[in-house]
Amino acid sequence: MQCWLNGTYVTAEELRISPFDHGFLYGLGFFETLRTYNGKVLFWEAHMERLQAALTQFHIHMPYTQQDLLAVIEQLNLAAGGQDGYFRLNVSAGEHSIGLQPSEYTQPNVIVFRKELPDTPRGKEKTAQWLEVRRNTPEGTLRVKSHHYGNNVLGRFEMSSLAMQEGFFLTEEGYVAEGVTSNIFWVKDDILYTPSLEAGILPGITRAWILEHAQSVGMEIREGLFTKNDVEQGSECFITNSVQELVPICKLEDIQLLGNKGPIYLRLHEAFIKEVEQQ
């Protein structure tokens, strides 16, 4: 695996950061996962806006421009023979002594990881289950994509395969939150539902596109606080993230769903593919 660390291209085996990095000592780091399509990153500005919001909140200075980082992504793809890739852009706070930093972090460690995209055909179905572990609360007003990932790891332990399954979190109050690696949508009586940000979920990039597109074509959408029963009464369910796109759920626990034959899923999936092609 070829990577990039603070301006230098290195192999995965050569990557080194100090154990005094506050991303390690205190979990103070943030990341974006994304992919390329014909060398281009879809919704790049949205990814960078979400990342920068987290960095600003925690007083971390990003030393590279968006153009710098896009050039790195392009070069890493070229080094892999020009193939599209799966990327993780990671910014950790940087090296400081033990003890909380009082003001700001001016020298973060910035890493771009690239790996091969999973060979998963579009429209491949997954099953889903309710998780026993509850979704933790965000670090601040909104959830950020951070190194504080222990809650997701505990959820992952409850499943046998992330490739075939997704686990659905509930909040401590019993409201539907999100998947281990995804946002959740479902359909009942031709109405599209999804948990609101009030449930403490990550403001997903693909989630935002779904909501904007559905509204633009006149679909009825309801965001809010919902229970397990609300989802289980639906006829369709699908999950979204920036690498897997829209993934249909064919079965939730013992409840059969329409999966990749769901009409709302099919309509949105087709529109998303067109968006990719246009971009």
Side-chain angles (χ1 to χ4, degrees):
M1 181 191 295
Q2 278 294 122
C3 306
W4 180 90
L5 167 64
N6 297 335
T8 303
Y9 291 94
V10 295
T11 64
E13 294 74 20
E14 296 171 315
L15 276 175
R16 298 288 186 275
I17 62 170
S18 168
F20 288 99
D21 188 312
H22 278 203
F24 172 73
L25 288 177
Y26 300 109
L28 191 55
F30 306 93
F31 67 98
E32 291 289 323
T33 51
L34 42 91
R35 60 177 291 177
T36 56
Y37 297 88
N38 293 323
K40 306 297 182 183
V41 180
L42 189 66
F43 308 138
W44 171 255
E45 292 80 8
H47 279 287
M48 292 302 97
E49 183 177 315
R50 184 171 68 177
L51 176 62
Q52 187 57 58
L55 297 179
T56 299
Q57 182 179 356
F58 288 90
H59 299 195
I60 299 174
H61 294 232
M62 167 60 86
Y64 302 101
T65 68
Q66 291 192 28
Q67 289 69 31
D68 293 334
L69 297 171
L70 278 175
V72 170
I73 288 171
E74 181 179 359
Q75 183 59 41
L76 289 174
N77 271 345
L78 287 174
Q83 297 295 314
D84 284 318
Y86 172 119
F87 292 87
R88 170 168 165 151
L89 168 56
N90 197 96
V91 184
S92 58
E95 185 176 347
H96 295 279
S97 61
I98 293 177
L100 297 181
Q101 178 72 358
S103 56
E104 59 185 355
Y105 295 89
T106 60
Q107 294 182 304
N109 282 311
V110 182
I111 306 175
V112 181
F113 302 88
R114 182 198 179 278
K115 68 177 186 179
E116 298 302 309
L117 281 167
D119 185 20
T120 305
R122 281 176 169 148
K124 183 178 180 179
E125 298 173 327
K126 287 187 177 185
T127 62
Q129 67 184 71
W130 297 110
L131 298 173
E132 292 295 328
V133 63
R134 294 300 175 109
R135 193 63 171 117
N136 62 352
T137 56
E139 293 85 352
T141 305
L142 290 176
R143 186 173 298 280
V144 291
K145 204 169 177 70
S146 79
H147 288 189
H148 294 270
Y149 228 60
N151 192 229
N152 299 66
V153 172
L154 289 174
R156 169 66 182 92
F157 287 157
E158 295 186 33
M159 298 182 295
S160 60
S161 169
L162 265 181
M164 304 296 293
Q165 302 169 291
E166 178 61 298
F168 289 175
F169 283 109
L170 298 174
T171 68
E172 284 292 344
E173 296 78 16
Y175 296 118
V176 180
E178 57 193 341
V180 172
T181 62
S182 65
N183 291 117
I184 304 169
F185 291 85
W186 66 96
V187 177
K188 179 185 176 184
D189 299 328
D190 295 325
I191 300 171
L192 183 64
Y193 292 85
T194 195
S196 67
L197 298 184
E198 186 183 351
I201 64 172
L202 185 74
I205 305 300
T206 306
R207 173 187 181 275
W209 182 88
I210 292 287
L211 293 175
E212 181 179 352
H213 176 78
Q215 184 177 31
S216 72
V217 297
M219 283 188 185
E220 187 173 350
I221 312 161
R222 294 184 186 172
E223 293 181 77
L225 298 175
F226 303 104
T227 66
K228 286 173 58 174
N229 187 58
D230 292 318
V231 183
E232 292 172 349
Q233 290 181 355
S235 57
E236 299 181 49
C237 181
F238 61 91
I239 57 176
T240 62
N241 67 36
S242 292
V243 174
Q244 299 176 58
E245 304 176 340
L246 284 67
V247 179
I249 300 298
C250 62
K251 189 177 181 181
L252 172 57
E253 300 280 350
D254 295 325
I255 300 170
Q256 294 292 334
L257 299 163
L258 291 175
N260 59 18
K261 298 178 179 62
I264 300 296
Y265 162 78
L266 286 170
R267 185 178 172 188
L268 290 169
H269 190 231
E270 181 181 359
F272 186 84
I273 293 171
K274 287 182 179 178
E275 179 75 19
V276 170
E277 293 170 348
Q278 289 170 2
Q279 294 292 329

